[in-house]
Amino acid sequence: MTAPLYNAEILRLTTAIPHDQRLTDPMASVEKRSPICGSRVTVDIDLDEDGRVSQVGMLVRACALGQASAALLSAHIVGRSVSELAEARDALTGWLEAEQGDAPDWPGLEVFSPALTYTARHPSIRLAFEAAAEAAEQASGAMVR
């Protein structure tokens, strides 16, 4: 791969994270941290009566890759189901672990293709997706009670 790791699109995404304010009283909130670089992402989730994300809030204190991943997640999370978020998390993890192939079916993830061989950067890329999937699962569980 000859593309730069920190390309213009990744840097652009770091300045455009939608839903970058925490929710006041979320149904669930999860923080994930990368032990390698210290990046942290907190995701607050509210689900509607159909179990789809109705509101999301985020606090992102991460490297450029973590910020870009949070921006891509945040831009397309509203309306997604708990299972869709788990599938996106798992597909992203699988793609990064394989270090090859086509990007998962989530808008914009192909921007991370240059990072496939940088395994130390993978945890930062996964943070937002892991936190969102876990928060959605917790919120769903709270609805059932």
Side-chain angles (χ1 to χ4, degrees):
M1 297 203 177
T2 59
L5 180 58
Y6 296 101
N7 57 54
E9 181 61 13
I10 285 175
L11 297 176
R12 185 194 65 75
L13 287 166
T14 67
T15 65
I17 301 174
H19 310 288
D20 64 346
Q21 299 292 317
R22 301 282 311 268
L23 298 181
T24 304
D25 188 24
M27 294 174 75
S29 182
V30 171
E31 178 183 279
K32 292 292 182 178
R33 182 180 173 277
S34 170
I36 294 173
C37 67
S39 289
R40 286 184 326 211
V41 174
T42 305
V43 177
D44 301 326
I45 294 275
D46 282 341
L47 300 178
D48 64 19
E49 61 278 352
D50 295 323
R52 295 188 171 276
V53 175
S54 60
Q55 292 188 86
V56 63
M58 300 179 80
L59 176 63
V60 180
R61 299 289 182 255
C63 66
L65 295 172
Q67 290 177 46
S69 182
L72 292 173
L73 171 86
S74 186
H76 303 283
I77 192 172
V78 174
R80 300 284 183 143
S81 69
V82 175
S83 63
E84 286 174 311
L85 293 177
E87 289 167 11
R89 174 201 57 210
D90 296 346
L92 177 59
T93 299
W95 180 56
L96 292 171
E97 286 176 354
E99 298 180 24
Q100 64 181 350
D102 294 332
D105 188 25
W106 189 278
L109 288 180
E110 65 278 352
V111 75
F112 297 114
S113 293
L116 288 175
T117 58
Y118 293 88
T119 57
R121 300 296 188 197
H122 294 178
S124 295
I125 296 169
R126 293 192 320 259
L127 287 177
F129 283 84
E130 290 173 350
E134 189 174 324
E137 289 168 10
Q138 287 180 13
S140 178
M143 290 175 65
V144 177
R145 294 183 184 146

